[in-house]
Amino acid sequence: MVAAVVTRKRFQQRAETSEFEADVLEGLNAIPKHVPAKYFYDAAGSRLFERITELPEYYPTRCEMRILLRHAVDIANMIRSGAALVEFGSGSSRKARILLKAAATKLAAYVPVDICGEMIEQEAAELRTDFPQVKILPVTADICKPFKLPAEAKAAAARVGFFPGSTIGNFEPHEAAGFLRNAANILGRESTLIIGVDLIKSSDILNAAYNDAEGVTAQFNLNLLTRINHELGGTFQLDTFEHHAFYNRERHRVEMHLASLKRQKVKVAGDTIEFRAGETIHTENSYKYSIESLSALARGVGWLPVAVWIDSRKYFSIQSFKLAV
Ligand code: AVI
């Protein structure tokens, strides 16, 4: 039994590595070169992201926490008695805890969904102690793909999806629509969706948020090359690449790139990749929305806008939607 679990885990790891290898090779051989942003989050990348959320220039996490704390009661009022709260990409459940506290007496269940099963199982144990009256039902799944909710969540009086952190901004608009459609299918009739979204604002604030003085965002970006070196036998020399981040006003997105400081050849998984001096690998887009542009996207796939909460500077928003019947 134990051997079977170990074998399955190894097989899963190998499958994940080969998907990483295929995506990296495809992206580095394309024009322009790119690597999907989801690969930032190995253990070191996740730690660096945690540090980013505490930087003075990186306002989104602080703003969202403030909105949640300030309007927890109003947001909890969106939740019907006996409902199940389903968090997409729950991680440490830090933000959901605020809603759990405000709606603990009404919530039948909390379903944290994340690709990292180990982390959510650990969190679930703590949540069971802190919220004994709420059923904690973790699900390990890719939030962008169809997955099944536990029977108790399906049988609940209603389902409330929660997708904080402006993670939706890291999706291309068509992927964001795909996520919203998938969420509608998973949550089903009688459901609500609460999303945290970063708002369009002045380039100065956005450029500072992704070019912090301490250089943590640069380390986060460059860590992708370290990961490729470790996991795919890459030969990237980190001091020959530079972090570039800027707000693209026409496309309402902050772009992150890694720019080669010279003409060079790099090996990755046995392939040779050539770089011109100044050529970049596009590593991330972080789309910024207006209240209206997110509403339009959501409406297009059947979610009707219900309420919006924003901070006093109008930097960040939490928006709620109901599924059209
Ligand atoms: C996770 N995501 C919402 C962050 C963002 O702001 O797009 C990732 C990030 N990239 C650089 N800094 C933070």
Side-chain angles (χ1 to χ4, degrees):
M1 181 66 181
V2 174
V5 171
V6 172
T7 313
R8 204 178 328 125
K9 220 171 179 181
R10 279 212 197 108
F11 182 76
Q12 195 185 328
Q13 269 166 2
R14 226 176 297 139
E16 279 164 13
T17 306
S18 63
E19 194 186 333
F20 179 39
E21 180 177 315
D23 286 350
V24 168
L25 288 180
E26 196 253 312
L28 293 183
N29 283 301
I31 301 171
K33 291 180 170 55
H34 59 271
V35 173
K38 65 177 178 183
Y39 293 119
F40 278 137
Y41 302 93
D42 64 350
S46 301
R47 277 196 299 274
L48 285 164
F49 179 65
E50 280 307 308
R51 279 180 63 199
I52 288 177
T53 63
E54 282 157 20
L55 292 168
E57 299 93 332
Y58 193 78
Y59 61 85
T61 314
R62 263 188 310 279
C63 282
E64 187 175 41
M65 286 297 282
R66 251 182 241 143
I67 300 171
L68 276 172
L69 287 165
R70 183 151 189 205
H71 300 286
V73 174
D74 290 344
I75 300 172
N77 280 339
M78 297 274 123
I79 301 174
R80 240 171 70 184
S81 196
L85 180 68
V86 179
E87 183 173 10
F88 294 92
S90 55
S92 68
S93 299
R94 186 170 152 218
K95 293 165 188 163
R97 277 176 176 274
I98 300 173
L99 295 185
L100 282 167
K101 227 183 211 169
T105 53
K106 315 201 259 187
L107 277 175
Y110 169 56
V111 184
V113 185
D114 206 289
I115 193 113
C116 182
E118 235 167 88
M119 175 151 86
I120 50 168
E121 289 296 343
Q122 238 173 28
E123 277 304 321
E126 284 179 30
L127 287 162
R128 283 185 190 115
T129 314
D130 297 343
F131 301 96
Q133 67 278 46
V134 182
K135 283 233 164 77
I136 311 291
L137 308 166
V139 171
T140 305
D142 179 340
I143 58 162
C144 294
K145 295 187 181 148
F147 63 86
K148 283 206 168 74
L149 288 178
E152 282 156 294
K154 277 191 109 173
R159 278 144 302 281
V160 180
F162 183 43
F163 193 40
S166 204
T167 306
I168 197 163
N170 295 129
F171 298 154
E172 290 304 307
H174 73 278
E175 294 169 338
F179 166 81
L180 294 170
R181 205 176 292 119
N182 192 39
N185 290 335
I186 289 163
L187 297 170
R189 289 156 58 94
E190 295 297 321
S191 58
T192 300
L193 187 58
I194 298 170
I195 314 186
V197 189
D198 198 11
L199 296 174
I200 293 169
K201 60 183 65 60
S202 97
S203 313
D204 293 350
I205 296 159
L206 288 166
N207 286 330
Y210 293 81
N211 288 284
D212 63 282
E214 217 187 301
V216 183
T217 310
Q219 283 180 55
F220 172 72
N221 200 2
L222 284 159
N223 179 61
L224 188 60
L225 303 185
T226 308
R227 181 173 184 189
I228 295 173
N229 284 351
H230 286 163
E231 294 182 31
L232 303 178
T235 60
F236 281 104
Q237 285 178 281
L238 266 64
D239 56 356
T240 66
F241 285 84
E242 198 171 65
H243 164 72
H244 282 186
F246 56 89
Y247 183 52
N248 180 333
R249 212 191 280 257
E250 284 74 45
R251 306 185 83 162
H252 305 298
R253 68 189 194 195
V254 173
E255 295 185 13
M256 291 217 309
H257 296 256
L258 288 164
S260 176
L261 296 175
K262 60 176 192 182
R263 191 169 159 202
Q264 59 178 315
K265 287 183 183 166
V266 178
K267 286 219 156 185
V268 176
D271 252 24
T272 303
I273 315 291
E274 296 193 17
F275 286 88
R276 287 176 279 106
E279 187 176 4
T280 76
I281 308 171
H282 191 165
T283 52
E284 186 182 65
N285 285 321
S286 189
Y287 282 87
K288 308 303 168 191
Y289 285 88
S290 62
I291 306 294
E292 296 74 26
S293 64
L294 188 79
S295 293
L297 188 77
R299 260 184 211 281
V301 292
W303 288 105
L304 305 178
V306 176
V308 179
W309 299 273
I310 54 175
D311 56 300
S312 57
R313 293 181 298 184
K314 302 192 172 85
Y315 279 9
F316 202 92
S317 67
I318 294 181
Q319 309 190 31
S320 79
F321 302 89
K322 271 216 176 323
L323 201 55
V325 275

